[in-house]
Amino acid sequence: MDPMKRAGVLKPMLVEFALSDRFERELSAVFEREFPGGVVHDESILSMVIDHFVLQHGLIGGDTVVDRFVSAHPELSAEDRDMLLGWKDVVEGVFEVKRKNGDALTLFNLVDELTYDTRSNVGRKAFRSITTGMFLIGRAVPLGSGWMLSGNPAAFPAGSRDVMIGQAAELVMRNPEAVFRNPDKLSAARRMLAEQREIFIELYREDLIVVPGWELDEHMNAFWSAVAAKAQPGAQPSQRVISDFTAETTEADTVAIHFDPDTGLSLYHDFRLLEDAFANPALIARRRYRETLTDYLHEDTISPVPIRRLAERDPGKASAVFQKLLKKRDFSWETHGEALLRKHKARHFDAPRLPGNVPVSDEMAKHLRDLNP
């Protein structure tokens, strides 16, 4: 059977499975979060929320609805299972209709600047009102060598380009990783990152410095001014404060500024306390040092990089630090350190390490500048 026809059979079964009583509690929680007060003003948004729940929402246990659907239907062929599980690779975007050809659309995604040849599991009637030049906000999933719209997209007229650029910019700000589906964008971001890291090291002689929190604006403005000067030699330096830190950051006794070669700039509060503890493990007996290291270890939003960097300076002292912290006399950093980090920071190991800088189109860059003048 043609994959699209098979998708037309399986997708309604999958949605019905997701809307069944077995997922009622989790779906209700999603609806309460997405539609406060239970009011839905846009059916296309409702469709996209349900589609996300079906294909991507993490259930208790870490799997998804589509995973459980496949497990609940052992009669599915290998091709069916591969197709269904492939739908977890969702492209969310703002799509410009470049061409309409019967039951297919050629769509250009303003987010990742890639083109998608797309059909619908309900056939050509899904595109009856769509014309070249219009825009669709929606989701697409892989199907064979092409793509299939997943859920009901919202359609907008060709004259709404400026608004659509804004919508794409908002999507990028919420999910910058979406841009990196385009390998050229990822390569450009990595080149930019490498150049900026060289500038940081030229400025500070190393890729990690520790400064008082109140000096952050000064150091970050010095760095970004150096980046601007390298990009446009002879240009008038900006006097504007570029950075915008929380009070917690600027009031910290010390903050490490690290330029990671894979992800870019990161900030770590109270880093000097950790440096002192790893230099003198006896300090872990003191509450402030112990609590700071515990936060660094347990907090999922903090990268494993700072602990790993400090431990690499002296693995023997790192072993002593964690022996005291964990109350495990046989703990060895060289033997157990990586497993400890993986236990507490799984997502940092599971997810790709992507650049923090995101190359966008000139149109989108202008929109973002207008939002942050």
Side-chain angles (χ1 to χ4, degrees), residues 238-301:
S238 172
Q239 298 301 312
R240 179 171 63 90
V241 174
I242 302 172
S243 49
D244 182 20
F245 302 113
T246 64
E248 181 186 9
T249 301
T250 56
E251 292 172 5
D253 290 342
T254 60
V255 177
I257 308 173
H258 177 223
F259 205 111
D260 187 284
D262 295 320
T263 60
L265 284 169
S266 296
L267 303 178
Y268 302 111
H269 297 183
D270 296 321
F271 190 79
R272 186 73 73 195
L273 288 174
L274 291 188
E275 283 190 312
D276 292 344
F278 276 78
N280 179 10
L283 291 174
I284 286 297
R286 300 183 186 180
R287 179 176 177 179
R288 189 177 181 197
Y289 293 90
R290 186 171 62 254
E291 288 183 348
T292 300
L293 179 54
T294 298
D295 288 343
Y296 266 71
L297 180 62
H298 290 172
E299 180 52 63
D300 188 49
T301 60

Side-chain angles (χ1 to χ4, degrees), residues 52 140 214:
H52 183 278
W214 58 268

Side-chain angles (χ1 to χ4, degrees), residues 319-344:
S319 297
V321 165
F322 284 104
Q323 286 169 11
K324 294 177 184 296
L325 181 73
L326 304 174
K327 296 181 172 57
K328 293 184 177 180
R329 296 177 61 184
D330 63 344
F331 183 93
S332 164
W333 176 260
E334 292 176 312
T335 303
H336 308 115
E338 195 70 8
L340 179 69
L341 293 178
R342 286 181 177 275
K343 174 183 176 181
H344 292 286

Side-chain angles (χ1 to χ4, degrees), residues 89-203:
D89 181 24
V90 177
V91 176
E92 293 187 353
V94 179
F95 301 95
E96 182 180 7
V97 180
K98 289 295 189 180
R99 186 166 59 252
K100 183 177 181 181
N101 182 19
D103 65 347
L105 299 177
T106 299
L107 304 176
F108 178 78
N109 189 358
L110 300 180
V111 172
D112 59 25
E113 298 182 57
L114 292 175
T115 298
Y116 297 85
D117 291 321
T118 311
R119 293 192 289 165
S120 169
N121 63 294
V122 299
R124 102 171 35 197
K125 66 180 181 181
F127 303 146
R128 193 169 293 152
S129 61
I130 304 299
T131 59
T132 300
M134 291 181 67
F135 293 89
L136 305 177
I137 296 179
R139 296 156 56 83
V141 295
L143 189 76
S145 61
W147 295 83
M148 178 182 78
L149 284 179
S150 194
N152 299 324
F156 298 87
S160 60
R161 184 175 187 83
D162 288 345
V163 175
M164 293 298 102
I165 290 290
Q167 291 292 316
E170 289 183 15
L171 198 157
V172 169
M173 287 189 287
R174 291 196 309 270
N175 181 27
E177 293 85 357
V179 174
F180 295 131
R181 181 174 287 273
N182 185 332
D184 291 338
K185 293 287 187 180
L186 181 56
S187 296
R190 285 179 171 156
R191 287 194 300 272
M192 187 187 307
L193 205 65
E195 293 169 0
Q196 291 178 355
R197 187 168 185 268
E198 287 182 6
I199 293 170
F200 188 93
I201 293 174
E202 287 176 7
L203 189 62

